[in-house]
């Protein structure tokens, strides 16, 4: 079984044997991973960069995904077009609902009915959970033929494999801890991008006084949890995030720092407009775009929306890392479910090969707002936000500050994530105190761990 490398371990009790535990083991693995990463980069030559890959054409594939917003649809359209251009037949199964909760429910129903889709947008520990249930096909022969190990960061390769074989292919690396802003709106109160939460609050107070909504937000549990984890990283730092949101350490979960995280979340609650409840994330992005609000805290799929609307980063909208140090990682991947039939198996292989081809990784990520999962794709066509993400990812990796997203299913099992989402959403929609939220979180997580 491959072990995770750049991202550190969750609680030893968590059912993810593929993750490392213990600080020593952790340090060694990380050191090796860094060495491997460096060697991989050195081994690649510019000539290899945009080469094509070799899998024969054809096949059918039904693809279940949740990419239905403007930017998302454009990005998945790139995959469909590339697949069809190779002679494949694409059956589209989109399940609306940002963050993928509805899609995961639909997936469970399809598997229980004995009729899984061939390829599913699925990520993180969820891949291992389905693999353990025996629900997946591997695409190891494609991965070996195309040397995936040599071009993926070890952290991602580890997530894509079960029992040492690839059962999924990664399309991208999304960063979660971003702050998006409308520069014209900020100018109205003489503000620039805040670099601390205190600065953020001061700017938000000025905007409120000027009658402008400071924060565009959609009140859905996964969006609340996205904001929560960004604040947790910002207020507590990467070591705190790792302990509390990944390792589920009770001391960190019940610490004063966690109280402070909820205090900042309470502040943010005061900065959203009255109609936030249930709003889709892309409508919140549109509020920033249209000048109805100043900021949004959201992963860089939000940039996909700005770009799809023809907006230019640094001109029409601003991107900055949310206050704090570190990098919250979220990577989308397609996982291959057990289907039978020569056309279906062929379709899975073609899709796997296409997803990992350098040309596709470039085209797709230019539309999606993310950066390529492959480390050998040149960044010269990417915008300033993507270049920043790329640089900050390397810096965070070196500084041991790369953290997996809890809200986006990269860190903990779904049951534990569910507890985070419940508490955070209840807090956001009530006058619960920070202390009570901390208590509820600690108990909920104990419950989920059994
Ligand atoms: C994330 C996913 C992104 C984006 C977002 C909103 O979980 O990784 O690709 O689609 O949800 O739907």
């Amino acid at each position: 079984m491959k072990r995770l490398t750049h991202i550190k371990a969750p609680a030893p009790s968590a059912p993810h044997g593929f993750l490392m535990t213990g600080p020593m083991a952790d340090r060694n693995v990380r050191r090796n991973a860094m060495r491997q990463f460096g060697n991989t980069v050195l081994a690649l030559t510019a000539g290899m960069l945009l080469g094509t890959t070799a899998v024969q054409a054809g096949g059918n594939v039904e693809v279940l995904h949740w990419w239905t917003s403007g930017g998302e649809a454009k990005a998945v359209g790139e995959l469909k077009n590339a697949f069809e251009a190779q002679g494949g037949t694409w059956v589209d199964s989109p399940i609306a609902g940002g963050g993928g909760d509805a899609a995961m429910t639909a997936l469970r129903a399809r598997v229980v009915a004995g009729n899984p889709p061939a390829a599913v947008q699925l990520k993180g520990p969820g891949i291992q959970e389905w693999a353990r249930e025996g629900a997946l096909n591997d695409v190891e022969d494609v991965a070996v033929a195309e040397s995936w190990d040599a071009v993926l960061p070890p952290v991602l390769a580890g997530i894509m494999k079960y029992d040492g074989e690839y059962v999924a292919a990664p399309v991208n690396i999304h960063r979660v801890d971003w702050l998006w802003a409308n520069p014209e709106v900020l100018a109205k109160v003489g503000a620039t991008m805040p670099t601390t939460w205190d600065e953020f609050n001061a700017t938000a107070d000025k905007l409120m006084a000027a009658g402008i909504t400071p924060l565009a937000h959609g009140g859905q549990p996964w969006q609340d949890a996205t904001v929560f984890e960004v604040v947790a990283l910002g207020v507590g730092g990467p070591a705190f995030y790792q302990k509390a949101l990944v390792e589920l350490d009770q001391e960190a979960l019940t610490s004063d720092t966690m109280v402070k995280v909820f205090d900042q979340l309470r502040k943010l609650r005061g900065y959203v407009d009255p109609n936030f409840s249930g709003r889709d994330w892309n409508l919140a992005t549109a509020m920033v775009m249209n000048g109805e609000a100043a900021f949004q805290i959201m992963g860089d799929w939000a940039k996909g929306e700005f770009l799809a609307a023809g907006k230019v980063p640094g001109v029409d909208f601003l991107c900055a890392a949310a206050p704090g140090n570190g990098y919250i990682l979220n990577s989308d991947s397609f996982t291959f479910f057990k289907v039978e039939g020569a056309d279906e198996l062929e379709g899975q292989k073609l899709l796997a090969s296409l997803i990992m081809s350098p040309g596709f990784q470039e085209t797709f990520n230019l539309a999606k707002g993310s950066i390529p999962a492959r480390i050998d794709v040149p960044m010269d066509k990417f915008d300033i936000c993507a270049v920043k993400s790329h640089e900050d990812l390397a810096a965070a990796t070196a500084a041991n500050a790369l953290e997996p997203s809890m809200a986006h299913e990269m860190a903990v099992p779904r049951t534990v994530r569910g507890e985070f989402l419940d508490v955070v959403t209840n807090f956001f929609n009530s006058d619960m105190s920070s202390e009570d939220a901390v208590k509820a979180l600690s108990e909920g997580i104990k419950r989920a761990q059994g």
Side-chain angles (χ1 to χ4, degrees), residues 66-69 72 97-100 121 123 172 174 222 281 298 301 330-332 368 407-409:
W66 65 87
W67 286 332
T68 55
S69 77
E72 289 174 334
Q121 187 193 347
K123 53 194 170 175
N172 65 6
H174 267 307
W222 73 271
W281 65 273
M298 186 50 66
W301 45 94
N330 173 26
S331 169
D332 290 305
K368 187 68 172 72
H408 295 276
E409 312 219 29

Side-chain angles (χ1 to χ4, degrees), residues 312-367:
V312 179
V315 179
D316 304 314
F317 68 97
L318 305 178
C319 61
N325 297 316
Y327 187 111
I328 303 181
L329 175 86
N330 173 26
S331 169
D332 290 305
S333 44
F334 282 92
T335 303
F336 303 100
F337 275 70
K338 272 220 160 92
V339 287
E340 284 163 13
D343 277 357
E344 277 62 32
L345 295 173
E346 183 89 0
Q348 286 184 324
K349 287 181 189 195
L350 174 59
L351 189 67
S353 176
L354 262 179
I355 284 174
M356 278 295 290
S357 69
F360 168 75
Q361 292 251 330
E362 181 181 79
T363 322
F364 175 86
N365 286 295
L366 284 170

Side-chain angles (χ1 to χ4, degrees), residues 142-187:
V142 181
V144 169
E146 297 174 358
S147 308
W148 291 8
D149 275 349
V151 293
L152 285 177
V155 61
L156 285 192
I159 294 172
M160 302 301 131
K161 289 180 184 182
Y162 180 73
D163 248 345
E165 297 190 327
Y166 281 92
V167 291
V171 288
N172 65 6
I173 292 176
H174 267 307
R175 181 181 197 171
V176 180
D177 52 315
W178 282 111
L179 198 55
W180 308 96
N182 182 315
E184 275 179 24
V185 174
L186 291 190

